[in-house]
């Protein structure tokens, strides 16, 4: 089995909003939440420490995420929303501090990956884990902090402090904000957004294009000198019935590939078939569509170096919203068979599962 790097999970959001404890198995979490329903929580978890280990998911980009109150009001009635950039700033710091606290208090479960040597040691340990790990073999989940939506960056002079505290990647948008247009709130890059890019590049952050509106993403691709990814974004032109601005246009995909970027493909039914709705059931969508997204990106790139996985599991959706072959994060390994069916060999699958995002992470982590 190949190790997996997952470029997008809203761990702190779930922990702080719904009291989820990812040191538990996903099945224990489901049982507890069925017995004691959590207000505002409408979906079942896909994540748990035993399942990360069984699926060899060694490393995730863990988000600092909260939504602006205008968009979040109906979606998630809980406290991880903000009314002003200052509130967003406070919440994002809480999220980053939470990752530090988890790594200190439960080092057997969580580990922050802040440097190249952290990364090397972490992956070496995971490579040695037996194929069918027992609880005594379980290893900590590596976490690389990433900011989803930069609204909480209120002062550019704070960027080095974010970096010192482990933040390595920033997505400018979730919804639209002072920097650029985003999902459901389109718009270009603003002057403030251009300044932010300039300051991010000085510190060395990864720029994440997911959720950015197309004109803003295209300008970023022209001007940002550092590493660029789309952590959790499928290719729009392959998605039946798609009509909004959340996924990657062909033009953004092409330029992202030219810039050496990596795209995290998302195994969520609506991002694979926009016409899918939960009433249609999980059976209606197969992991094969995820493999086809991956294959398309490899075909456009002419290589297997620019695609990975960004699951977004537990990010506002859950078990009810993923292809029927998946019962938890452990089942991401089932993608292997679908990729083999499309002609991918072991070495290529290893790049897709972890090698490509590993290259990105290695290029920015300090020594
Ligand atoms: Zn997102």
């Amino acid at each position: 089995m190949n190790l997996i790097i997952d470029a997008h999970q809203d761990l702190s959001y779930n922990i702080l909003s719904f009291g989820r404890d990812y040191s538990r198995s996903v099945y224990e979490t489901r049982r507890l939440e069925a017995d004691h329903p959590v207000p505002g929580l409408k979906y079942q978890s896909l994540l748990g420490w035993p399942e990360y280990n069984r699926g060899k998911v060694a490393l995730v980009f863990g988000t600092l995420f909260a939504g602006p109150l205008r968009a979040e009001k109906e979606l998630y009635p809980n406290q991880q929303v903000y009314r002003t950039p200052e509130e967003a700033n406070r919440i994002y710091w809480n999220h980053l501090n939470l990752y530090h606290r988890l790594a200190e208090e439960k080092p057997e479960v969580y580990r922050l990956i802040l440097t190249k040597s952290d990364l090397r040691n972490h992956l070496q340990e995971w490579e040695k884990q037996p194929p069918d790990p027992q609880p005594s073999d379980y290893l900590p989940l590596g976490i690389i902090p990433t900011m989803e939506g930069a609204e909480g960056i209120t002062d550019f002079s704070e960027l080095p402090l974010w970096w010192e505290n482990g933040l390595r990647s920033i997505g400018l948008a979730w919804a639209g904000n002072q920097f650029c247009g985003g999902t459901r709130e389109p718009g270009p890059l603003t002057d403030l957004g251009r300044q932010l890019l300039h300051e991010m590049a000085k510190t060395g952050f990864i720029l994440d294009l997911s959720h950015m509106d197309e004109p803003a993403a295209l300008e970023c691709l022209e001007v940002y000198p550092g590493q660029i990814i789309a952590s959790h974004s499928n290719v729009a032109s392959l998605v039946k019935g798609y009509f909004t601005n959340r996924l990657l246009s062909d033009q953004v995909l092409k330029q992202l590939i030219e810039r050496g970027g990596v795209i995290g493909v998302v195994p969520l039914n609506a991002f694979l078939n926009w016409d899918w709705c939960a009433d249609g059931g999980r059976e209606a969508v197969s992991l094969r569509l995820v493999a086809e997204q991956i294959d398309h990106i490899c075909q456009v790139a002419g290589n297997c170096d620019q695609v990975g996985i960004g699951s977004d599991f537990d990010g506002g959706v859950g078990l009810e919203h993923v292809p029927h072959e998946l019962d938890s994060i452990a089942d991401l390994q089932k993608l292997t068979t679908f990729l083999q069916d499309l002609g991918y060999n072991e070495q290529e699958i290893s790049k897709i599962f972890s090698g490509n995002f590993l290259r990105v992470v290695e290029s920015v982590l300090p020594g």
Side-chain angles (χ1 to χ4, degrees), residues 1 23 31 73 79 109 132 143 171 200 214 217 234 244 264 268 271 276-277 281-282 292 302 305-306 324 361 364:
M1 264 201 282
S23 65
R31 207 164 39 241
K73 202 158 52 183
Q79 75 277 24
V109 180
D132 184 19
I143 298 173
M200 278 170 59
E214 185 182 20
N234 291 350
T244 179
L268 298 183
F271 284 12
W276 179 86
C277 61
R282 278 154 45 77
E292 286 175 4
D305 299 336
Q306 303 197 256
H324 66 88
V361 171
V364 302

Side-chain angles (χ1 to χ4, degrees), residues 32-294:
L32 287 167
E33 290 175 356
D35 291 347
H36 308 282
V38 180
L41 184 55
K42 300 183 185 125
Y43 56 91
Q44 297 185 67
S45 179
L46 289 155
L47 306 174
W49 184 40
E51 290 71 33
Y52 285 115
N53 275 273
R54 287 198 296 106
K56 300 259 181 252
V57 180
L59 183 63
V60 302
F61 289 43
T63 63
L64 327 182
F65 172 71
L69 188 60
R70 61 189 186 280
E72 287 279 271
K73 202 158 52 183
E74 290 148 284
L75 289 175
Y76 315 118
N78 60 60
Q79 75 277 24
Q80 301 305 302
V81 293
Y82 56 83
R83 289 165 196 80
T84 63
E86 289 70 28
E87 276 185 14
N89 180 279
R90 268 199 307 280
I91 292 175
Y92 288 175
W93 275 114
N94 280 346
H95 284 227
L96 188 52
N97 291 335
L98 173 67
Y99 287 128
H100 281 276
R101 209 162 57 243
L102 289 171
E104 276 158 25
E105 290 173 2
K106 293 189 176 178
E108 69 286 7
V109 180
Y110 302 102
R111 178 184 282 162
L112 277 179
I113 303 299
L114 304 179
T115 65
K116 280 193 178 67
S117 72
D118 288 349
L119 181 68
R120 225 174 4 250
N121 296 336
H122 181 70
L123 294 179
Q124 272 170 12
E125 218 179 311
W126 274 82
E127 294 285 359
K128 287 188 212 140
Q129 192 189 47
D132 184 19
Q134 301 305 302
S136 59
D137 302 316
Y138 289 173
L139 292 168
L141 174 71
I143 298 173
I144 294 183
T146 176
M147 188 185 279
E148 180 171 27
E151 206 147 3
I153 296 179
T154 48
D155 178 353
F156 295 153
S157 68
E158 208 181 37
L159 280 171
L161 193 62
W162 285 109
W163 178 270
E164 249 171 66
N165 281 272
L167 187 70
R168 297 291 179 256
S169 165
I170 298 175
L172 261 52
W174 181 70
N177 58 30
Q178 68 270 41
F179 303 117
C180 65
T183 300
R184 291 186 296 268
E185 297 182 349
L189 202 60
T190 64
D191 281 342
L192 208 57
R194 290 182 191 102
Q195 282 175 46
L196 174 59
L197 290 180
H198 182 71
E199 298 299 324
M200 278 170 59
K202 281 204 281 189
T203 311
F205 286 101
I206 299 168
L207 168 65
D208 186 352
L209 298 185
S210 289
H211 286 281
M212 282 182 85
D213 196 34
E214 185 182 20
L218 289 172
E219 188 175 339
C220 284
L221 284 159
E222 261 174 49
V223 302
Y224 193 68
Q227 183 69 59
I228 307 182
I229 63 172
S231 66
H232 60 307
S233 288
N234 291 350
V235 179
S237 58
L238 266 64
V239 179
K240 194 168 150 243
Y242 173 82
F243 60 87
T244 179
N245 73 337
R246 169 63 182 85
L247 303 179
L248 296 179
S249 70
D250 288 346
Q251 183 70 0
V252 172
L253 173 67
K254 187 169 154 273
Q255 296 198 17
L256 188 49
I257 284 170
E258 279 168 13
R259 281 292 317 270
V262 177
I263 297 114
V265 167
V266 195
L268 298 183
N269 292 351
F271 284 12
L272 296 163
N273 176 356
W274 208 257
D275 291 337
W276 179 86
C277 61
D279 297 346
R282 278 154 45 77
E283 289 303 316
V285 180
S286 165
L287 261 187
R288 182 170 176 86
L289 291 181
V290 178
E292 286 175 4
Q293 282 274 343
I294 292 171

